[in-house]
Amino acid sequence: MKLTWFKCIFWSGWIIFIFVLTSSLSDPLKQERITKFLSEIAQKPYFILLFFGILLALMLLFYLPVWWRGVRQEQL
């Protein structure tokens, strides 16, 4: 299996996300602050639009290069 820049960025980001999540949730005070912050954001009227927009952007960021490579190979 070939290691591409996409896989390097994806797995590095995933490892950093897991590290930050576990380190921040080990402290009960940080847990409380994060929970309060997220609950305040979730009550905003634009939260659902923002959440799905970010989700769509992430999907495009990671899927678009794979899709484009397939399209280009099919054309050749």
Side-chain angles (χ1 to χ4, degrees), residues 20-56:
V20 168
L21 185 65
T22 55
S23 66
S24 66
L25 293 180
S26 62
D27 182 17
L29 184 58
K30 285 184 182 180
Q31 284 178 353
E32 185 179 334
R33 277 191 265 154
I34 290 171
T35 304
K36 183 179 177 185
F37 175 73
L38 291 176
S39 66
E40 288 174 2
I41 289 177
Q43 293 176 4
K44 303 288 184 194
Y46 55 83
F47 171 73
I48 292 175
L49 182 63
L50 183 66
F51 176 76
F52 284 113
I54 291 172
L55 187 62
L56 180 65

